[in-house]
Amino acid sequence: MKSLSSENRKFEPSAEFVKNAKISGLESYCAEYKKSIENPESYWANIASELHWFEPWTSVLDRTEAPFYKWFNGAKTNISYNCLDRHVEAGNGDKVALHWEGEPGDTKDITYGELLQSVGLFANVLKSLGVRKGDRVALYLPMIPELIVAVLACARIGAVHSVIFAGFSSDSIKDRILDCEARMVITSDYGYRRGKVLELKKIVDEGVKDCPSISEVLVIRRNGNDSVDCAMESGRDFWFEDCANACEDHCPAEPMDSEDLLFLLYTSGTTGKPKGIMHTTGGYQVFSYITSKYVFDLNDQDVYWCTADVGWITGHTYIIYGILQNGVTQLIYEGAPNHPTPARFWNLIDKYNVSIFYTAPTAIRAFMKWGDHWLEGNDLSSLRLLGSVGEPINPEAWMWYHEKVGAEKCPIVDTWWQTETGGHLLTPIPGAISTKPGSATVPFFGIEPLILNDEGEETDVGILAIKNPWPGMLRGIYGDSKRYLETYWNKWGGKYYFPGDGARRDEDGYFWILGRVDDVVNVSGHRIGTAELESIFVEHDSIAEAAVIGIAHEIKGQGLLAFVTVIEGKEINESLEKELIALVDQRIGKFARPEKIVFSSDLPKTRSGKIMRRLLRSIAEGQELGNTMTLADPSVVDEIQKQFKKG
Ligand code: WT7
């Protein structure tokens, strides 16, 4: 974090960018921001009126059950209508919505008109299988166009989608399905990742074994050169194409209440159990639409590319809903950045003339490591705007992105937000806000961030807080309103939203995110709760206790380091380590593997038995340990230090 506090370079958007921008110059930003804060309801009503509503709202913001806020209450709308029908009706049905490219290089272009038809057909298939408004549907798919179609089809008929990132294990699928009692899972026979075939249906079969709520598994054919055999359970499993033969492709969008549940997305927290974050229809639609429009400065001619997976919130808001509502053309790429070579992303930008590119710091750092020569020979001059998301971007990576990818002419929008916030809360508006490497800069319209101490007093360095609700905010945690209140609203007595991040504000009023202040580690932009991993390790019958911490990692930003104690009499050997890693793979997925597991006979604890993570962190960082007098048994520190160094 030291490099962040000394960073004071400032980059202004070019005159040319400013000239054509949606919001031009600091003064326009300030005027618009002032309006949005002084009169939020009329500000948001105005934005909402750019979209289609079957019936108008009776109130913009209903605070009566705060913090269970309601937005655009009384209105009827459908977000798939705003993503599709609206553009087709305006005569833009022939515009390409998706340029899709699979990892092996297979391609497909889909217009807004075609996407509307595919979504209608998919929606009719869901209906024909009995899916009704309010039913929960789990999706476990690779980044193929059908993933986007399936999401929009759920939204079209009012089924609640819960997308599960295809890197999650069958156990994780099971946990999520059990929590929301999904009636259906949609998957595919297979997908690709780094040249390997991923047999998704098999993982789903394993996951739904003990899920009584599941009555159908709908299977899409990936349609590539590799074919994969799928065991199909009769009466439960259906091939999409068989069902589609009996359906038509016109399906009117169901008028949904503004506060009807649109989707659930599970994310890790500070306990062992992932939280089903709830997003509803009307407010999310307005927020995803307007943040996309202003932050990415979207124009009719743009080709937008976000490299996230739809399995995370970034894919929901800034691949599907926000971007399609703006009617622009985007690129969707199925696979890995380094397949077949680390030039793949640059080849794609060149090939599709991508003008807006949105990726994660971890990817940028990986490219820096793979070497600049992979960029050579690719024409990146179509780019006009770059974005970063998922974790704090270190100034070195920011500068590399700025110079090597953006040719020093593209503004970089470093967007700070969360699964819970639905869309960007802190971000530069590219034609108005000068950027500083590593800072997410200023609030989006309507957002009032503060930096507070534990007592709720304002400071310059402290904990980020958000005053006042915004339309895209989460509406709760599925089935657990108590946890919603405790996690997000109890920190300062219900007065402010608590995101769980530390932050600093500089002399220009710019915000610098300093990372999580809770027991959540951000690995390659993916949130992993340390408690979740700890509870997995202690499942093993050789393990007595576990403490997991985050450590700095060159590429991933943060990695996980596990300290475990072994039950007396149990042997510590290589196979134990392998078993523990296998357990992580099985319970969560490979992406949650720790960098290292350190075995010892005990953990450093206070006399009252509390594990001292601060000490473990110091050991990991090779720092002075300071006072260890408060430890119940100071000798454990030496043992752990030895074990840690052993490697
Ligand atoms: C956490 C949210 C936002 C979509 C992807 C991750 C961290 C996110 C930034 C940023 C610094 C960031 C925060 C946040 N984070 N973006 N631009 N600068 N930190 O979504 O899994 O809900 O994680 O990611 O710590 O709380 P998520």
Side-chain angles (χ1 to χ4, degrees), residues 129 363 496 522 534 560:
L129 291 169
Y496 308 105
N522 193 325
E534 289 162 6
L560 297 157

Side-chain angles (χ1 to χ4, degrees), residues 265-268 277 308 312-315 318 358 360-361 388-393 413-424 426-427 438-440 464 497 499-502 512-518 520-522 524-528 558:
L265 188 59
Y266 284 82
T267 182
S268 291
I277 302 300
W312 309 108
I313 190 67
T314 306
Y318 298 115
Y358 191 34
S388 170
V389 61
E391 52 172 313
I393 180 165
V413 288
D414 176 358
T415 58
W416 176 87
W417 59 296
Q418 310 179 294
T419 306
E420 291 88 340
T421 70
H424 306 141
L426 296 176
T427 173
S439 170
L464 186 64
Y497 171 79
D501 279 292
W512 300 75
I513 301 294
L514 304 173
R516 304 284 309 187
V517 296
D518 53 7
V520 170
V521 181
N522 193 325
S524 303
H526 304 321
R527 230 199 273 185
I528 297 169
Q558 280 190 295

Side-chain angles (χ1 to χ4, degrees), residues 415-577:
T415 58
W416 176 87
W417 59 296
Q418 310 179 294
T419 306
E420 291 88 340
T421 70
H424 306 141
L425 296 199
L426 296 176
T427 173
I429 301 292
I433 303 294
S434 301
T435 52
K436 300 183 187 184
S439 170
T441 72
V442 298
F444 189 76
F445 304 123
I447 305 300
E448 283 180 273
L450 296 166
I451 297 179
L452 303 177
N453 61 18
D454 285 328
E455 283 69 49
E457 299 150 352
E458 284 203 56
T459 63
D460 290 335
V461 186
I463 305 162
L464 186 64
I466 311 292
K467 191 175 152 184
N468 285 330
W470 63 99
M473 66 188 293
L474 78 163
R475 298 302 194 269
I477 295 175
Y478 194 75
D480 201 345
S481 46
K482 200 169 141 248
R483 193 172 175 195
Y484 169 67
L485 295 172
E486 276 165 7
T487 310
Y488 304 107
W489 298 98
N490 275 6
K491 174 89 191 158
W492 297 289
K495 261 178 95 177
Y496 308 105
Y497 171 79
F498 168 64
D501 279 292
R504 180 175 78 84
R505 200 170 187 168
D506 71 15
E507 56 291 352
D508 292 332
Y510 278 35
F511 288 83
W512 300 75
I513 301 294
L514 304 173
R516 304 284 309 187
V517 296
D518 53 7
D519 293 322
V520 170
V521 181
N522 193 325
V523 180
S524 303
H526 304 321
R527 230 199 273 185
I528 297 169
T530 53
E532 211 176 319
L533 270 184
E534 289 162 6
S535 68
I536 290 169
F537 288 128
V538 298
E539 277 174 30
H540 193 285
D541 58 13
S542 294
I543 301 303
E545 277 188 306
V548 174
I549 61 167
I551 46 162
H553 187 283
E554 200 195 337
I555 304 289
K556 301 177 184 175
Q558 280 190 295
L560 297 157
L561 181 58
F563 296 88
V564 298
T565 64
V566 173
I567 290 171
E568 259 192 76
K570 298 278 184 183
E571 206 190 324
I572 302 173
N573 52 30
E574 230 172 78
S575 79
L576 177 58
E577 181 162 1

